[in-house]
Amino acid sequence: MAKYSRVSESVGLITLQNPPVNALSAAVRQGIVDTVERALSDPKVKSVVICGQNGIFCGGADIKEFGTNMSGPLLVPMIHAIEAANKPVVAAIEGSALGGGLELALGCHYRIAHSKARLGLPEVTLGLLPAAGGTQRLPRLIGVPAALDLITTGKPLDARRISTYPCPRPSDLDALFEGVMEKVRQSARGAIAPVACVQAVRAAATQPYTQGMEREKELMATLFTSGQARALQYCFFAQRAVSRWSMPNGARWDTSKPRPVHKAAVIGLGTMGRGITVALAQTGLSVIAVETQEKQLMDAKQAVSGMLERGARRRGVAPALDKISYSHDIQAVADVDLVIEAVFEDMGLKKKVFQQLASICRPGTFLCTNTSALDVDHLASQTHNPELVVGMHFFAPAHVMKLLEVVYGPRSSPQAVATAMQLGKKMGKVSVAVGNCPGFVGNRMLKPYMEQAFFLLEEGATPELVDRALEEFGFPMGVFRMSDLSGLDVGWRVRKGDGLAEPGAPSGQPARIRQGRRYSPLGDLLCEQGRFGQKTGQGWYQYNKPGSQVARSDPWLHSFLEGYRAQHGLVARRIDNQEVLDRCLYALINEGFRILEDGIAAGPEDIDMIYVFGYGWPRHRGGPMFYASMVGLGKVLERLEHYHQAHPDVPYLKPCSLLWRLVASGSPPLHKWREVIRKLHSQL
Ligand code: NAI
């Protein structure tokens, strides 16, 4: 756990040994205490070097000890003892020194790092702060501004020469902290750990070391017991868990071998196709990009090159322009390993494209669709090899957004799923395997959420009120600002296709009932007025000009809502933030339980990661299903029942059977839900 040897007669060498990253487990900490003591008490030893085996200094705390009762020596006294040693102790850093690993190095008297070594304090990303002296020693070593940057963002940096460090302790300390605090509060969107980090560093800059350490300890104690730390640590594990996918037929990540993909094709170079092309080229794949419209093809070439050049500048590499060849002829994709179709969301068109692909591509080519809601299996049935077809559902902008839903149909092979999952990983995405149903996981859950927001407007709320409640909860944008950004016409087209919006809907039926359930035509009415959101300069808000992003309240919209209510005999009532959150979030969560019940998502972690990485769900609240478990499933059930009684014509508010079952089983913790789901399935 910590090997001791004497080199060159007088140097005590301590090598941390705990693969894969030499984490500071109880045994490693004990090893350090023992070997340091041994080195200090050996008169022949004049100096001590601490390093890690296998080219890694130390990855930090042992995550296996999270949430357990810590045993073994504590980190703070251990590091204090090293610092207090009467022989020089040097940290020899290779690979990485992260979290507790860097704090250990900070306790040494000197640090020598390989130029490729990565140093960082990522605790804040887990809802914590570096509490083994990290917030106290680092500002003393590299100065307050640089330490603030490292500690509040958790981002690692490469080893640097001391001459490049900024000068410590600026004169305008108060102004500096006020400015940083304001910025951190804004970007934290309600997360408390970054704010506590600033407070701890302020203590370092304004108080003596011992008092600073006290403050660090106190702040850490608050964070440690906060729900936010639990949520962020849950996300850390959930993100890893979703890569270990499984399908209801028993296929799994560890028994399915992906096929390598070197050459891919993208069909359709609109909003999505362009982003996907960029993401593939940046991953190092050769890409054939196909677009039938001549003008679109020219525009796409320019846009893709621009995105690649900007990305390359940021990362200090050469742009991967030569990785892409463009064509207006679909025949060009004959020899690729995998195709991603991103043409218009039109089943007729997509079916035709899949039939063409099936006859053009060489045998064994994986055929993927980026559809946001259409039936993947129906597309698979257009080909000779439906087992090679999966959905690869990217999110806009596709070269930026981290989420990828990999959608398997009933006939998709485990190898096709494994290949899409691996390609997603190579592209730096958080890939989540989900089953085939309208809207898959993310968009399916969004429907009841948006529906509730529309109903709230009918009942007396304004877009501003609903958005404010959701933004205070931690979403970067409320539902109406988001709708203005992505375009109201997108949903309108879908509702028309589903026979909900006029003129698809049968005439003569009440405006607010469709297919036997409550319906709000508000979005359709706005679209009929040409109010599509930001792109037309008007939607739920008004904008200075089309394309502008600064939303302003629109008096027209408010009087339109009043007129609408009067026309339908609706009396506006006062709606508070709590009702907005209850109705929007619990309707969404209820659909999440239905998705688990239907086996569309393998577990709650999959749903949560989709919402955190694709829909702006605040990470410090852990995702919708984790949030439900924190609120208490009994409470979620009771609120849904309450609202369903008040709105019996809204099926999305009817608590689903899995939620009843979980509450009846004593609301088990989230990691036990799979057992209850399995039992439910075995009884069906
Ligand atoms: P878009 O309208 O921007 O682009 C579609 C492109 O496909 C157009 O450039 C069109 O000329 C081209 N095209 C049409 N038929 C073609 C054919 N036979 N061969 C080659 N190119 C053809 O559409 P967008 O927004 O990029 O959406 C594409 C797909 O991605 C849709 O299925 C959509 O549902 C899905 N999607 C869209 C998201 C979004 O936020 N826009 C998010 C996730 C998925």
Side-chain angles (χ1 to χ4, degrees):
M1 288 283 135
K3 192 175 109 196
Y4 181 75
S5 55
R6 212 171 71 209
V7 292
S8 309
E9 288 300 315
S10 62
V11 179
L13 179 65
I14 297 172
T15 309
L16 311 186
Q17 295 182 319
N18 185 13
V21 295
N22 302 321
L24 293 165
S25 63
V28 172
R29 296 195 302 276
Q30 190 62 58
I32 296 173
V33 169
D34 295 343
T35 49
V36 167
E37 242 172 58
R38 187 166 160 192
L40 297 182
S41 59
D42 183 348
K44 292 209 180 92
V45 168
K46 305 289 177 225
S47 62
V48 184
V49 173
I50 303 180
C51 64
Q53 72 170 8
N54 294 335
I56 291 172
F57 181 70
C58 175
D62 190 342
I63 50 175
K64 287 190 217 100
E65 288 183 359
F66 278 8
T68 64
N69 287 332
M70 292 260 282
S71 60
L74 295 174
L75 212 48
V76 170
M78 180 192 92
I79 295 174
H80 267 141
I82 293 172
E83 192 180 48
N86 56 2
K87 296 178 185 176
V89 184
V90 179
I93 303 169
E94 210 187 341
S96 46
L98 297 172
L102 181 55
E103 290 179 301
L104 168 64
L106 288 169
C108 296
H109 304 122
Y110 300 95
R111 286 146 293 278
I112 297 177
H114 188 279
S115 60
K116 296 234 167 72
R118 305 279 286 161
L119 313 177
L121 293 170
E123 284 83 349
V124 68
T125 64
L126 298 179
L128 304 173
L129 57 72
T135 70
Q136 301 306 301
R137 286 195 180 90
L138 193 61
R140 286 177 158 79
L141 183 67
I142 65 170
V144 170
L148 272 171
D149 189 37
L150 271 180
I151 296 170
T152 59
T153 64
K155 283 192 200 130
L157 48 71
D158 293 335
R160 281 193 287 165
R161 306 268 182 255
I162 287 178
S163 58
T164 65
Y165 289 161
C167 192
R169 204 169 165 123
S171 54
D172 54 348
L173 201 78
D174 284 341
L176 176 109
F177 275 103
E178 269 163 38
V180 169
M181 188 57 108
E182 198 185 316
K183 207 169 112 209
V184 164
R185 271 194 211 282
Q186 241 171 33
S187 64
R189 291 195 272 124
I192 56 176
V195 174
C197 286
V198 177
Q199 290 167 332
V201 177
R202 190 182 179 112
T206 54
Q207 293 176 15
Y209 175 73
T210 23
Q211 284 169 24
M213 283 298 281
E214 272 308 305
R215 182 79 179 121
E216 182 188 87
K217 194 168 141 195
E218 195 180 287
L219 286 162
M220 179 62 162
T222 317
L223 295 180
F224 213 81
T225 51
S226 74
Q228 293 197 2
R230 276 179 62 193
L232 287 162
Q233 286 162 28
Y234 162 79
C235 285
F236 177 87
F237 289 110
Q239 190 176 339
R240 278 143 194 82
V242 297
S243 62
R244 300 189 287 272
W245 56 272
S246 63
M247 283 157 66
N249 64 9
R252 301 161 46 104
W253 65 282
D254 50 351
T255 51
S256 312
K257 205 168 166 332
R259 229 188 303 137
V261 177
H262 304 292
K263 192 168 182 185
V266 178
I267 315 289
L269 298 181
T271 313
M272 294 307 290
R274 295 172 191 190
I276 297 169
T277 302
V278 169
L280 287 168
Q282 281 177 342
T283 310
L285 272 77
S286 300
V287 188
I288 314 267
V290 179
E291 165 65 55
T292 41
Q293 303 291 320
E294 199 57 48
K295 164 117 186 18
Q296 275 285 81
L297 184 60
M298 298 305 288
D299 292 351
K301 258 189 203 176
Q302 212 177 10
V304 167
S305 303
M307 287 190 257
L308 280 174
E309 272 159 9
R310 282 191 297 277
R313 249 197 317 275
R314 255 195 319 274
R315 292 182 297 157
V317 293
L321 299 172
D322 56 346
K323 286 278 173 195
I324 307 171
S325 50
Y326 295 88
S327 174
H328 53 75
D329 185 0
I330 198 165
Q331 298 287 340
V333 308
D335 69 339
V336 301
D337 304 310
L338 179 143
V339 181
I340 302 175
E341 165 278 312
V343 302
F344 302 126
E345 187 77 339
D346 172 332
M347 187 44 115
L349 173 63
K350 284 190 195 277
K351 269 164 69 173
K352 206 178 113 216
V353 170
F354 269 74
Q355 286 159 11
Q356 283 178 308
L357 290 171
S359 68
I360 295 167
C361 295
R362 62 168 185 223
T365 306
F366 295 109
L367 303 181
C368 311
T369 174
N370 183 48
T371 177
S372 9
L374 298 176
D375 184 352
V376 172
D377 190 42
H378 197 53
L379 290 175
S381 69
Q382 307 305 310
T383 71
H384 321 297
N385 299 96
E387 73 279 5
L388 297 173
V389 176
V390 289
M392 284 185 84
H393 181 209
F394 292 85
F395 289 72
H399 60 302
V400 177
M401 290 291 286
K402 290 279 279 184
L403 179 64
L404 173 69
E405 280 184 327
V406 171
V407 186
Y408 54 80
R411 290 178 288 175
S412 306
S413 70
Q415 188 180 48
V417 177
T419 303
M421 289 293 283
Q422 198 195 38
L423 178 57
K425 188 173 172 194
K426 271 178 96 178
M427 293 166 90
K429 306 289 179 199
V430 174
S431 311
V432 185
V434 301
N436 181 34
C437 67
F440 317 128
V441 170
N443 287 346
R444 176 170 158 180
M445 288 169 70
L446 204 62
K447 219 168 149 184
Y449 168 80
M450 293 192 65
E451 186 186 83
Q452 285 303 312
F454 285 3
F455 292 162
L456 286 163
L457 293 192
E458 293 187 339
E459 293 166 36
T462 58
E464 291 83 345
L465 182 140
V466 174
D467 282 354
R468 205 173 317 117
L470 294 167
E471 285 161 20
E472 277 173 17
F473 179 79
F475 281 101
M477 256 185 224
V479 60
F480 293 108
R481 289 215 286 145
M482 180 48 98
S483 165
D484 271 1
L485 171 69
S486 45
L488 274 72
D489 52 321
V490 180
W492 191 34
R493 223 172 306 133
V494 174
R495 292 193 294 277
K496 278 198 220 170
D498 289 348
L500 287 167
E502 302 288 355
S507 56
Q509 64 179 346
R512 295 180 49 249
I513 303 281
R514 290 282 189 280
Q515 298 170 357
R517 51 201 277 180
R518 181 171 167 189
Y519 177 79
S520 170
L522 279 172
D524 307 333
L525 294 173
L526 258 60
C527 286
E528 282 167 21
Q529 306 254 355
R531 296 179 71 106
F532 291 171
Q534 286 185 6
K535 60 178 128 178
T536 57
Q538 288 169 325
W540 301 105
Y541 295 91
Q542 57 177 333
Y543 300 83
N544 278 344
K545 56 176 193 312
S548 156
Q549 293 176 355
V550 185
R552 286 184 294 119
S553 283
D554 190 347
W556 179 90
L557 197 271
H558 294 158
S559 56
F560 162 76
L561 286 176
E562 278 165 26
Y564 173 87
R565 291 186 200 114
Q567 186 192 343
H568 294 283
L570 297 163
V571 180
R573 61 186 175 82
R574 209 185 145 270
I575 290 167
D576 61 12
N577 278 11
Q578 195 55 49
E579 181 172 352
V580 173
L581 293 183
D582 279 4
R583 285 183 50 188
C584 292
L585 301 185
Y586 294 159
L588 175 143
I589 287 167
N590 197 27
E591 194 60 19
F593 280 114
R594 284 205 187 94
I595 282 170
L596 288 175
E597 194 176 298
D598 295 351
I600 294 295
E605 297 87 353
D606 301 80
I607 295 179
D608 285 338
M609 291 306 96
I610 286 173
Y611 262 79
V612 165
F613 286 103
Y615 293 83
W617 184 283
R619 195 178 165 89
H620 60 269
R621 293 190 189 270
M625 308 321 280
F626 180 85
Y627 176 70
S629 75
M630 292 290 272
V631 170
L633 299 186
K635 167 93 186 288
V636 176
L637 177 65
E638 179 271 312
R639 288 284 81 195
L640 278 167
E641 272 203 288
H642 166 83
Y643 288 115
H644 188 235
Q645 267 167 23
H647 307 277
D649 52 355
V650 182
Y652 280 130
L653 289 173
K654 184 168 189 250
C656 80
S657 43
L658 176 59
L659 178 55
W660 279 108
R661 178 64 72 103
L662 284 164
V663 173
S665 329
S667 299
L670 196 114
H671 64 273
K672 296 240 166 95
W673 290 5
R674 281 179 203 232
E675 286 168 31
V676 179
I677 297 166
R678 256 197 301 274
K679 264 194 221 146
L680 192 73
H681 285 167
S682 67
Q683 285 165 8
L684 289 178

